[in-house]
Amino acid sequence: MSSKKLRACISGVHGYVPDYILTNSELETLVDTSDEWIMTRTGIKERRILKGEMQGTSVLGVKCVKGLLEKTNTDPKDIDLIICATVTPDMLFPSTSNLIADKVGATNSYGFDISAACSGFIYALSTGSQFIEAGTHKKVIVVGADKMSSIIDYTDRKNCVLFGDGGGAVLLEPSKDETGIQDYLLRSDGSGGDMLCLKAGGSLRPASIETIKNKEHYIYQEGSSVFKFAVTNMADISEEIMNKNNLNSDDVAYLVPHQANKRIIDATAKRMGVGPEKVLLNIEKYGNTTAGTIPLCLWDYEKKFKKGDNLILAAFGGGFTWGSLYLKWSYNN
Ligand code: ACO
C-alpha cells in the first residue's frame, strides 16, 4: 500500500459579479464622501450590486457553480459536497449551500455553510480539502459569495463605500501529482467580535421594531481598530506560512489577498517581501465582497497562473478570523 499523501487540488475556478456598477461618483450623491477619499483610503473605485426582488446570495452562488460545472465539464450529479462560505445567507436556515445544490442539480451532494466573514473562503477551502485528503470524497465544490448590499446602510458613509456583491467557486479533486493545497494556518479571536458584526437578527437580538429603528440589521464596524488588527494579523500569518514551508519571496509566484483595503494588502506584501507585480488586486472594481474576494481574484487572474506556481492566499475578517493558505497551482490554461 502506498503511503503517499492524498492532496486536494483546485481543478477549476469560476466567478460571478452582478451587472450593476455602483461607482464612487454615485456614492457621492448618497453620502458626504468623495472619490478622492475612497481611493486614497481604500483603493476602491466601484463595486457591483445585485438588484431586484428575491435575489439572495444563492443567486450569486448558482451562477458561479453553473459556470464552474460547464467549464470543467462536470456532471452536477458527480458532486459529493458543496461548502458555501458566506455571512449573508439567503436565510439563517436552510443553508445557502443546499439552495445552490438544488438549483444546479447536484442531487447526490450534501452541503453546509461556513461563517467566517472575510476569511470564509480560506476556512472553507481548507475544510473542503480535508474531505479529499481523507479519500472519502472525489469532487468538492467550495463557494465564497456574499450579497453585502443586503446588510449595508447606504446613509452610513463609513461602511457603504467599502462593500460590494459577488462570489466565486472552485472545484476540488484529488491531485494527480505534487501540486495542490500544501498547507494552511487558521486563527480566530472572539474577543474582537463586537468590533465588526451584525448586531441583530440572530438569537441574541431577534428582529424587532427596536432593532430596526436602531439600524442593527446593518453591518457595524469600528473601522480604524479593525484596520490595526487586520494589518498586523494578515501580515503575520502570511509570513508565518512562508517560514513554515521554507519559502522565500522568490519562491512565491503570487499573493492572493482578501480585498478589504489596499493599504492592508500593501502591508502584507511588504512583510512577505513580494513586489507589486506579484500581488493580485481587483479591489478597485469590486470592493470588499467578503467571502467572494479570493475566489473572484483567482478567477480574474486564472490565465496568468502556470502549473506549479506557488500561491499564498491570505485574509482577515470579522470574528475576528484570519488565515493563510499555501497552494501549488495545478493546471495550465
Ligand atoms: N468619506 C469621507 N470621509 C469618511 C468616510 C467616507 N466614506 N468614511 C469615514 N470618513 C471620515 C470619518 O468620519 C473620519 O472623520 P473624523 O476624523 O472627522 O471623525 C475620517 O474619515 C477618518 O476615519 P477613519 O475611520 O479613522 O478612517 P480610516 O483611515 O481608518 O479608514 C476604513 C476607514 C477604510 C474603514 C479603514 O479603517 C479600514 O479599512 N478598516 C479595516 C476594514 C477591514 O479590513 N475589515 C475586515 C474585513 S470586513 C469583514 O470581515 C466583513
Side-chain angles (χ1 to χ4, degrees):
M1 216 174 87
S2 158
S3 61
K4 221 174 129 206
K5 183 180 183 314
L6 259 184
R7 269 185 213 290
C9 72
I10 293 178
S11 55
V13 56
H14 196 72
Y16 175 76
V17 287
D19 294 335
Y20 189 86
I21 299 175
L22 175 58
T23 60
N24 287 351
S25 20
E26 186 177 348
L27 282 167
E28 286 173 354
T29 68
L30 301 176
V31 289
D32 180 14
T33 192
S34 65
D35 176 52
E36 203 261 331
W37 191 96
I38 304 170
M39 276 305 281
T40 50
R41 296 295 179 110
T42 70
I44 303 168
K45 191 90 196 156
E46 56 192 43
R47 62 295 285 145
R48 301 301 182 100
I49 305 294
L50 183 60
K51 296 269 187 181
E53 295 293 310
M54 300 301 283
Q55 304 282 297
T57 293
S58 68
V59 170
L60 305 170
V62 167
K63 294 266 191 196
C64 298
V65 175
K66 275 194 172 162
L68 178 67
L69 293 170
E70 204 171 297
K71 192 170 161 186
T72 56
N73 207 11
T74 305
D75 184 338
K77 295 194 172 52
D78 290 340
I79 300 301
D80 302 313
L81 166 64
I82 298 180
I83 304 175
C84 180
T86 187
V87 287
T88 51
D90 284 32
M91 291 166 269
L92 278 179
F93 71 89
S95 71
T96 301
S97 65
N98 269 23
L99 303 175
I100 296 171
D102 175 50
K103 295 270 168 24
V104 303
T107 47
N108 296 316
S109 155
Y110 68 101
F112 53 87
D113 291 356
I114 283 188
S115 171
C118 296
S119 312
F121 185 74
I122 294 185
Y123 270 55
L125 189 58
S126 48
T127 303
S129 72
Q130 307 300 309
F131 291 89
I132 301 284
E133 287 179 18
T136 53
H137 296 57
K138 294 273 179 283
K139 290 183 194 290
V140 174
I141 288 181
V142 177
V143 183
D146 271 298
K147 184 188 174 184
M148 294 306 287
S149 63
S150 66
I151 53 168
I152 295 295
D153 172 5
Y154 285 95
T155 64
D156 166 16
R157 70 174 181 174
K158 288 190 173 174
N159 284 307
C160 73
V161 301
L162 303 176
F163 296 95
D165 304 339
V170 298
L171 178 62
L172 290 179
E173 293 186 89
S175 177
K176 295 187 177 70
D177 46 41
E178 289 305 302
T179 65
I181 293 166
Q182 308 288 313
D183 196 12
Y184 60 86
L185 297 168
L186 303 176
R187 303 269 190 274
S188 66
D189 177 2
S191 70
D194 290 348
M195 283 184 233
L196 172 52
C197 60
L198 200 64
K199 291 185 177 181
S203 55
L204 184 68
R205 285 180 65 69
S208 67
I209 303 282
E210 194 196 350
T211 62
I212 291 170
K213 268 197 198 140
N214 293 343
K215 298 189 166 191
E216 289 174 89
H217 298 276
Y218 294 126
I219 201 165
Y220 171 83
Q221 175 166 225
E222 291 166 23
S224 46
S225 306
V226 175
F227 182 84
K228 287 178 200 130
F229 281 97
V231 164
T232 309
N233 288 309
M234 204 162 122
D236 281 355
I237 206 151
S238 304
E239 189 183 36
E240 192 182 338
I241 203 156
M242 285 174 70
N243 291 341
K244 191 174 165 220
N245 290 280
N246 299 315
L247 297 172
N248 62 41
S249 53
D250 291 336
D251 300 323
V252 175
Y254 298 106
L255 164 66
V256 191
H258 169 54
Q259 318 269 320
N261 188 317
K262 172 83 166 47
R263 290 182 288 150
I264 300 173
I265 297 172
D266 290 344
T268 302
K270 193 169 171 210
R271 178 79 73 79
M272 292 169 68
V274 300
E277 71 289 352
K278 292 186 173 184
V279 181
L280 304 187
L281 293 172
N282 58 12
I283 188 168
E284 190 167 328
K285 50 185 189 164
Y286 305 141
N288 183 351
T289 56
T290 303
T293 62
I294 291 179
L296 267 176
C297 216
L298 292 174
W299 177 56
D300 268 350
Y301 289 96
E302 184 191 12
K303 296 225 160 20
K304 259 174 124 60
F305 303 150
K306 299 207 171 39
K307 186 170 174 168
D309 277 352
N310 289 324
L311 270 55
I312 301 289
L313 282 45
F316 180 89
F320 292 138
T321 56
W322 63 105
S324 57
L325 185 143
Y326 161 39
L327 67 85
K328 278 188 186 294
W329 194 250
S330 293
Y331 57 95
N332 292 314
N333 282 288

